[in-house]
Amino acid sequence: MYFKITHLKSKKILFGLSVLFFSQAGQATPTKIPLISTNIEKNAIQQTISGIVTDEQGMPLPGATVLVKGTNNGVTTNFDGEFTIQAQEGDVLKFSFVGFKAFELKVSGQTNFDVQLEANNASLDEVLVVGYGTQKKSDLTGAVSSVSDKDFNKGINTNPGNLLQGKVSGLNVTNASGEPGSGQDIVIRGVGTLRSGTSPLYVIDGFLLDNSDTGMPANPLNFINTEDIESINVLKDASAAAIYGSRAANGVVVITTKKGKAGRTQMNFSASTAISSIANKIDVFSADEFRRVVQEVGGNLSDNGANTDWQDELTRTAITNDLNFSMSGGTSKTSYFASVGARDQEGILNNSNIKRYSGRFNVTQKGLGDRLKIDLNLSATRTENERPDTETMVSNMLSLNPTRPAYTDGEPTIFGTGINPLIIQNIYGDYSTNNRMIANISPSLDIIDGLTYKLNFGVDYSKTDRDEQFIPYSADPDYAEGSIESFFTTNKNTLIENTLTYDTDFGDHGISLLAGHSYQKFYVHSKQYYFTKFPDNGIEPRYQLEEARGDDNTQSSEAVKNELQSFFGRVNYNYADKYLVTATVRSDGSTKFGENNEYAVFPSFALGWNIHKEDFLENSAISNLKLRASWGKSGNQEIPSKQTHLSYGESFDDNDIYPMDGNEINKEDYPYGLVFARTANPDLQWEETTQTNIGLDFGFFNQKLTGTVDYFSKETTDVLLYFSTQDPIDEVGYTWQNIPNMKIENSGLEVSLDFQSDQTRDFSYNIGGNFSYIKNEIKDSPFTIVTTGTAQGSGQTGATINGYMNNQPIGNFFLRQFEGIGPDGLSQFTDINGDGQIDDSDRVSSGSALPDFIYAFYTKFNYKNFYLGLNFNGVSGNKIYNHTRMSLFNMTQISNSLNTTDQAIEFANEDPSNTNMVSTRYLEDGSFLRLNNATLAYDLDPATIGLGNWINSFRLSVTGQNLFVITDYSGFDPELNTGSSSDSKSYGIDYYTYPKARTFVFGLNVSF
């Protein structure tokens, strides 16, 4: 806050009224009235200490707190900032006021003090890591959201996406299922592409990750130990992200790991144990209900006399143990951070777990009179993942006859027909191990004052082995032979970057120039083997590959290399810290595109105005007000490699072979024929996204109330898709192409708010949240529909569930409209075109899997050493196709003595032979509100347990995750995506999804 001293008396009145009206401290007690009853020794020699508390400009601060440190003796300043308090020689007085830095003063003879408090603009002076550098928050012109480690979601978080869920406006984090470390859909400001490459670009300590598959069936970001992360910045608009050019169309997530600081060594140890169980069981029929309902519908009851809850039998109470130790410190020349971590996380389905062992070493060394600085970041992780046959387990737990006993004489029961899933979980195994190392070194040299050269060299190396096997089981002919499919994947990502930065100030002008070159090379090598017919000798197939006797044993391998070369530059200019300009340009070249369009240019431009620094706002309660506007382009190249090049293959089909010497008698005598595997397309070009953003950042009462409002509009053109060339002489028929004139449009509004009370009081609180509205629409599409999600199962395989349609959002459900059950007991659908027939032409747009609204809110309470934090998140306006319900919860199931829910008997006259057609009958509302995270913690004073000389802090905590969900969805959980698709990505389909868990975490954190 800045105020002129002239005309002080009149301004004192205005300022005092504004504080009394707006500030919580405005309800201040008069001078000499204590905050809390005093506690002063009777024999102490008391002095009357008085004075006035002002801000940096001499304006009085009514309601400021004056406290004798270590006691309950305190007062607040009156309307004129004056105070009077009783204290004794040697006491320390602590002065505090919301939005100002606390100040301490020792009583030593003097009895009158004029205390001036310094404004605490830490939130505005905060330095954020952005593309190829850092910027003060007050200097940003782009839309950047920052989340620090103290604000991360607590509990068992396997990857960075879980830390951010509900924390950033415009960011939608959807876990594909409840499996530990499951895949995620992380979408920033709406889906802007038709392919599976919708993920943002991830940058860790300056190293750009590759989004290629590492061969692990789980989330590839699970290798990051979340305890090592210090902050995550999300670059949302083109001004913030365009410096990364070709890979920034889906936004950028910048992850910064912890670093050491000069001073004494700091050691931290954390340990936690978590207990997880299934959060929501589906209400299938109990054994008694099952017996009754089967007979009521006229089914053939198979009563085996038991009372089995298969959801209980195939799930468990899962335990997770997590240990982390870190050590950091340094001198003025050297600083370091080192950590090790181990996590063993069980899933709630049997034979489901993920283990991670991690190590990290970050060091910074200075030399040449501090002109040379070298940053080294090294991390190594081993991840071990065991997975069950999820689809089989979930299908069985919901459909198995509850009168069948799970065990007989302590062993899984042998069924007369079918196989007990408890046996399947013993003979099936999916085991994968990933070893991954990322190392990058970044020396920088100050050539002259303001001019810095920096080299960034790094390598990301990953190797994954995966075995998916069935142990021979002679009691069932379908599993008697056994099989194994093995995958071996190696990924290597090498990065070399050179940048020059020049920063200078002259008068009121400040300028920062950046120029750089980047070269990145990607290499993926994979091998696959399939073996069958193993002896039933008690040895797992993965340990006796040489014993495979199958005739259909196969092997395959492939390697892919890609390169990116980029030239980029950025100019940041500010005048008097009020008027800000940012201009960025990046030229990217990729080997994925043809020689005609190998390079593309991605520019951006942004303006900012720090309105709160203008003279006409000097005397207001506005501590921050900044208007931002930006425009820019970014690109997307996430398509398979070599799609622009001609490729041949061999074929032995009848139409592809030809007699070469005329002596051929049988087909086997013919040579293989050469055929086109891919035709050349040198004109294939980058998919481009153009984005406009207008934003307003604001803060009131010295940043007590802060917030951001952003409106954005982005449009994707030159959309890339694999589709038919419609060329009758094209040998291949399908190829990757840019769709002419087609556009994907996203527009929306983002709002975030945060209110913080006086943090110096015994009781303080923080409340806030964010809200996003996003409209997604496809324009000028030449297709009726491009199928994404398809049905699976007998009689349904390949039937369209959702896809891309003109003038509809991505993930649009295109379905027959269910009207009910007719007199014949069969499903009735709306005849849309009135031709008297029900066929695919009667399908209608029925909603989208993408939510219209994303929201979250949180509260934090501190009382002395206690802390309570609650985090809620939710979505609205989206649909879910309940494929599990379509497959299992129907009249056919119950009539065949298979279990189901009361949804199957919703229509009493339904015929058991009724076909389960893909339709709106199984489309449900996907909206939800979740208490995602609740943490109660207590900071124990180490001195009270006699460890004050050794321990700095000691925290005990309990965290609940996924405590409740409010939703109308009838499945396990509304947050999911387990649909089937090809290259295009499916959305919002629930197909035998791994259930979500409710988890309680008990933690200990000690620093010393």
Side-chain angles (χ1 to χ4, degrees):
M1 300 177 68
Y2 302 95
F3 301 97
K4 291 183 178 179
I5 303 179
T6 56
H7 308 295
L8 181 60
K9 291 184 179 179
S10 61
K11 292 190 176 182
K12 280 169 62 176
I13 296 174
L14 291 172
F15 178 71
L17 289 173
S18 66
V19 172
L20 287 171
F21 182 77
F22 289 113
S23 174
Q24 180 187 29
Q27 300 176 359
T29 54
T31 307
K32 298 183 181 180
I33 298 179
L35 283 170
I36 306 173
S37 57
T38 56
N39 181 20
I40 305 173
E41 297 180 15
K42 293 182 178 179
N43 297 326
I45 301 175
Q46 297 296 313
Q47 303 180 60
T48 299
I49 309 296
S50 61
I52 184 172
V53 180
T54 64
D55 67 3
E56 294 166 300
Q57 305 301 322
M59 295 297 297
L61 294 177
T65 300
V66 185
L67 180 71
V68 178
K69 191 174 181 180
T71 74
N72 292 328
N73 179 24
V75 298
T76 55
T77 56
N78 66 6
F79 184 82
D80 294 315
E82 299 168 340
F83 71 94
T84 301
I85 192 172
Q86 298 295 315
Q88 63 187 53
E89 189 84 8
D91 279 345
V92 174
L93 300 182
K94 183 176 181 179
F95 300 83
S96 59
F97 188 70
V98 176
F100 290 80
K101 297 178 182 178
F103 177 75
E104 294 184 357
L105 183 69
K106 189 174 183 179
V107 177
S108 179
Q110 188 176 347
T111 59
N112 187 269
F113 299 95
D114 291 336
V115 177
Q116 189 177 73
L117 296 184
E118 180 183 353
N120 184 5
N121 292 319
S123 61
L124 298 179
D125 294 334
E126 179 184 0
V127 176
L128 303 181
V129 177
V130 294
Y132 301 100
T134 60
Q135 271 190 293
K136 286 197 307 181
K137 194 172 182 179
S138 59
D139 292 341
L140 288 174
T141 55
V144 179
S145 293
S146 181
V147 184
S148 64
D149 56 348
K150 65 182 178 63
D151 294 321
F152 289 156
N153 287 321
K154 310 302 180 186
I156 302 300
N157 295 301
T158 313
N159 54 67
N162 294 131
L163 301 177
L164 291 178
Q165 192 168 40
K167 296 295 183 180
V168 176
S169 61
L171 175 68
N172 189 20
V173 179
T174 302
N175 292 299
S177 72
E179 183 178 7
S182 68
Q184 284 178 329
D185 294 332
I186 297 180
V187 178
I188 299 174
R189 291 188 165 181
V191 179
T193 182
L194 300 187
R195 303 168 325 284
S196 57
T198 59
S199 297
L201 170 66
Y202 294 93
V203 182
I204 301 181
D205 293 327
F207 189 91
L208 284 67
L209 297 184
D210 181 22
N211 286 334
S212 296
D213 181 16
T214 62
M216 286 285 285
N219 192 324
L221 293 178
N222 290 339
F223 79 96
I224 305 172
N225 186 345
T226 55
E227 292 293 323
D228 291 342
I229 299 176
E230 184 172 35
S231 66
I232 302 178
N233 296 336
V234 181
L235 315 185
K236 297 188 286 189
D237 73 337
S239 173
I243 192 67
Y244 290 109
S246 65
R247 303 169 65 189
N250 298 321
V252 182
V253 176
V254 180
I255 300 172
T256 302
T257 60
K258 295 175 180 177
K259 305 292 190 291
K261 298 178 177 61
R264 65 183 293 273
T265 298
Q266 175 84 18
M267 290 182 283
N268 295 279
F269 171 76
S270 67
S272 67
T273 295
I275 302 173
S276 303
S277 58
I278 187 169
N280 174 43
K281 292 171 62 177
I282 292 180
D283 190 16
V284 296
F285 293 129
S286 67
D288 289 339
E289 292 171 334
F290 177 82
R291 293 182 179 100
R292 174 179 55 82
V293 174
V294 172
Q295 297 179 74
E296 286 179 354
V297 301
N300 184 19
L301 176 62
S302 174
D303 191 343
N304 299 276
N307 185 1
T308 304
D309 187 330
W310 286 103
Q311 291 183 81
D312 286 346
E313 293 294 338
L314 296 175
T315 61
R316 64 183 176 183
T317 298
I319 305 298
T320 298
N321 292 307
D322 196 14
L323 297 173
N324 289 279
F325 176 78
S326 66
M327 182 169 61
S328 62
T331 65
S332 60
K333 298 293 184 182
T334 305
S335 61
Y336 66 91
F337 172 86
S339 72
V340 291
R343 170 177 290 178
D344 184 353
Q345 182 178 0
E346 292 182 343
I348 58 173
L349 289 187
N350 298 332
N351 296 344
S352 170
N353 65 71
I354 186 168
K355 298 178 181 179
R356 182 181 65 205
Y357 309 94
S358 65
R360 173 171 292 276
F361 182 64
N362 296 340
V363 62
T364 299
Q365 177 67 52
K366 295 181 180 179
L368 300 179
D370 291 345
R371 300 186 76 89
L372 175 66
K373 177 184 175 184
I374 301 175
D375 292 312
L376 173 66
N377 304 292
L378 175 65
S379 69
T381 308
R382 178 180 176 86
T383 306
E384 300 172 359
N385 192 196
E386 180 182 1
R387 307 175 73 227
D389 186 352
T390 300
E391 289 184 7
T392 299
M393 293 297 107
V394 173
S395 173
N396 280 314
M397 73 168 63
L398 298 177
S399 65
L400 273 181
N401 186 330
T403 70
R404 280 185 165 180
Y407 295 92
T408 301
D409 298 329
E411 295 294 328
T413 301
I414 305 297
F415 295 163
T417 57
I419 185 170
N420 191 332
L422 295 170
I423 295 175
I424 292 181
Q425 72 180 21
N426 291 333
I427 65 175
Y428 174 84
D430 184 352
Y431 311 93
S432 54
T433 301
N434 172 262
N435 295 304
R436 188 167 185 177
M437 182 189 73
I438 297 183
N440 69 303
I441 185 169
S442 303
S444 60
L445 177 66
D446 293 337
I447 301 172
I448 58 174
D449 289 345
L451 180 63
T452 303
Y453 163 75
K454 184 176 182 178
L455 167 69
N456 183 22
F457 172 71
V459 176
D460 176 5
Y461 182 81
S462 169
K463 187 174 180 61
T464 301
D465 297 342
R466 180 185 179 189
D467 292 320
E468 187 176 3
Q469 69 175 14
F470 280 95
I471 298 172
Y473 180 66
S474 57
D476 190 299
D478 292 334
Y479 300 92
E481 294 183 344
S483 66
I484 186 171
E485 192 167 15
S486 298
F487 308 84
F488 303 92
T489 307
T490 300
N491 298 62
K492 186 178 180 181
N493 171 9
T494 306
L495 175 69
I496 301 176
E497 294 180 322
N498 295 274
T499 58
L500 274 175
T501 306
Y502 181 68
D503 295 300
T504 186
D505 294 311
F506 46 98
D508 287 333
H509 305 274
I511 191 167
S512 175
L513 304 175
L514 168 72
H517 170 264
S518 175
Y519 174 77
Q520 196 162 14
K521 185 175 182 180
F522 312 96
Y523 171 76
V524 181
H525 180 205
S526 61
K527 293 180 284 187
Q528 180 178 347
Y529 302 92
Y530 179 71
F531 300 103
T532 61
K533 292 186 179 179
F534 289 88
D536 189 2
N537 56 8
I539 302 176
E540 296 181 34
R542 57 179 171 159
Y543 300 135
Q544 52 170 349
L545 296 180
E546 69 282 358
E547 297 299 328
R549 297 291 184 264
D551 296 329
D552 55 349
N553 295 346
T554 60
Q555 56 277 325
S556 63
S557 63
E558 66 174 358
V560 176
K561 292 182 180 179
N562 287 306
E563 297 175 60
L564 270 173
Q565 178 171 246
S566 308
F567 303 89
F568 52 89
R570 180 173 61 208
V571 177
N572 291 105
Y573 169 79
N574 79 77
Y575 176 75
D577 290 329
K578 297 179 184 178
Y579 313 112
L580 314 169
V581 179
T582 301
T584 302
V585 65
R586 179 166 177 138
S587 176
D588 281 319
S590 171
T591 55
K592 288 189 175 183
F593 296 100
E595 57 185 14
N596 296 346
N597 294 294
E598 190 173 24
Y599 278 85
V601 177
F602 304 102
S604 76
F605 185 78
L607 299 173
W609 180 20
N610 279 318
I611 307 173
H612 67 282
K613 294 190 176 182
E614 298 290 353
D615 291 344
F616 57 81
L617 288 181
E618 277 189 333
N619 298 339
S620 71
I622 299 174
S623 52
N624 179 37
L625 187 64
K626 179 165 67 175
L627 181 64
R628 296 176 282 103
S630 68
W631 172 92
K633 288 187 176 183
S634 50
N636 199 327
Q637 55 135 18
E638 296 301 321
I639 61 172
S641 302
K642 311 302 181 186
Q643 296 304 307
T644 61
H645 297 271
L646 180 66
S647 178
Y648 296 94
E650 289 185 333
S651 172
F652 205 59
D653 290 341
D654 290 340
N655 294 331
D656 298 329
I657 57 179
Y658 188 82
M660 299 300 293
D661 58 15
N663 296 321
E664 294 84 355
I665 299 174
N666 301 314
K667 179 181 177 180
E668 288 72 22
D669 298 329
Y670 284 62
Y672 279 85
L674 284 179
V675 296
F676 285 106
R678 183 176 57 239
T679 54
N681 183 6
D683 295 324
L684 191 69
Q685 66 186 45
W686 301 78
E687 188 175 273
E688 291 190 345
T689 298
T690 303
Q691 184 173 178
T692 301
N693 188 92
I694 299 175
L696 184 70
D697 304 326
F698 55 86
F700 297 95
F701 324 125
N702 294 297
Q703 299 301 95
K704 186 177 182 181
L705 174 65
T706 60
T708 298
V709 178
D710 277 276
Y711 168 78
F712 69 89
S713 176
K714 67 177 186 177
E715 180 181 271
T716 301
T717 56
D718 294 320
V719 176
L720 289 163
L721 189 66
Y722 186 72
F723 65 99
S724 172
T725 61
Q726 298 182 343
D727 185 343
I729 64 171
D730 191 320
E731 292 284 343
V732 177
Y734 279 77
T735 186
W736 281 93
Q737 302 168 66
N738 298 101
I739 306 175
N741 303 319
M742 185 176 177
K743 299 183 288 291
I744 303 173
E745 297 180 351
N746 285 278
S747 60
L749 182 70
E750 301 171 354
V751 179
S752 62
L753 287 171
D754 181 88
F755 178 82
Q756 181 173 280
S757 71
D758 186 350
Q759 301 295 297
T760 64
R761 297 178 181 269
D762 284 342
F763 175 75
S764 62
Y765 62 92
N766 190 202
I767 184 170
N770 60 73
F771 164 87
S772 304
Y773 166 74
I774 300 175
K775 180 182 179 181
N776 177 278
E777 195 170 16
I778 293 174
K779 291 288 190 179
D780 300 325
S781 171
F783 311 108
T784 302
I785 185 169
V786 178
T787 299
T788 54
T790 58
Q792 305 175 63
S794 177
Q796 294 291 336
T797 302
T800 296
I801 295 178
N802 61 8
Y804 310 128
M805 295 183 65
N806 203 33
N807 300 320
Q808 298 294 334
I810 288 175
N812 175 62
F813 292 103
F814 193 49
L815 309 170
R816 296 178 184 180
Q817 191 167 326
F818 178 72
E819 291 187 346
I821 301 298
D824 57 359
L826 304 180
S827 297
Q828 289 187 321
F829 306 100
T830 304
D831 184 3
I832 298 297
N833 59 11
D835 63 359
Q837 296 183 356
I838 301 298
D839 52 29
D840 283 350
S841 63
D842 294 307
R843 294 179 295 176
V844 295
S845 297
S846 307
S848 172
L850 301 185
D852 295 325
F853 301 96
I854 309 167
Y855 61 92
F857 55 93
Y858 57 85
T859 58
K860 303 175 186 177
F861 303 96
N862 289 278
Y863 178 69
K864 294 186 177 179
N865 292 341
F866 287 95
Y867 166 85
L868 174 64
L870 305 173
N871 291 277
F872 299 82
N873 73 286
V875 300
S876 180
N878 61 307
K879 301 289 187 180
I880 297 174
Y881 193 82
N882 195 335
H883 198 321
T884 302
R885 176 183 167 191
M886 184 180 76
S887 299
L888 300 179
F889 305 154
N890 52 68
M891 188 70 78
T892 303
Q893 285 281 110
I894 194 68
S895 64
N896 289 330
S897 220
L898 293 171
N899 208 359
T900 183
T901 69
D902 56 9
Q903 292 170 322
I905 57 174
E906 178 183 3
F907 301 96
N909 66 323
E910 184 171 6
D911 194 301
S913 65
N914 189 29
T915 303
N916 305 319
M917 297 290 292
V918 174
S919 72
T920 57
R921 181 178 185 179
Y922 309 106
L923 191 65
E924 301 184 33
D925 185 1
S927 304
F928 68 85
L929 169 64
R930 186 192 309 276
L931 176 51
N932 184 31
N933 189 286
T935 298
L936 177 64
Y938 179 73
D939 291 308
L940 179 66
D941 185 357
T944 63
I945 55 176
L947 298 176
N949 294 330
W950 295 278
I951 296 178
N952 296 329
S953 66
F954 191 101
R955 167 169 278 208
L956 298 170
S957 64
V958 57
T959 296
Q961 292 178 277
N962 190 29
L963 292 179
F964 67 78
V965 181
I966 300 174
T967 182
D968 290 332
Y969 182 61
S970 64
F972 284 121
D973 192 275
E975 183 187 320
L976 51 85
N977 182 28
T978 51
S980 174
S981 65
S982 54
D983 178 77
S984 297
K985 189 175 184 60
S986 70
Y987 298 91
I989 299 177
D990 181 356
Y991 186 71
Y992 301 147
T993 303
Y994 192 119
K996 279 206 169 55
R998 179 174 294 112
T999 301
F1000 294 94
V1001 187
F1002 303 90
L1004 166 68
N1005 294 77
V1006 183
S1007 66
F1008 46 94

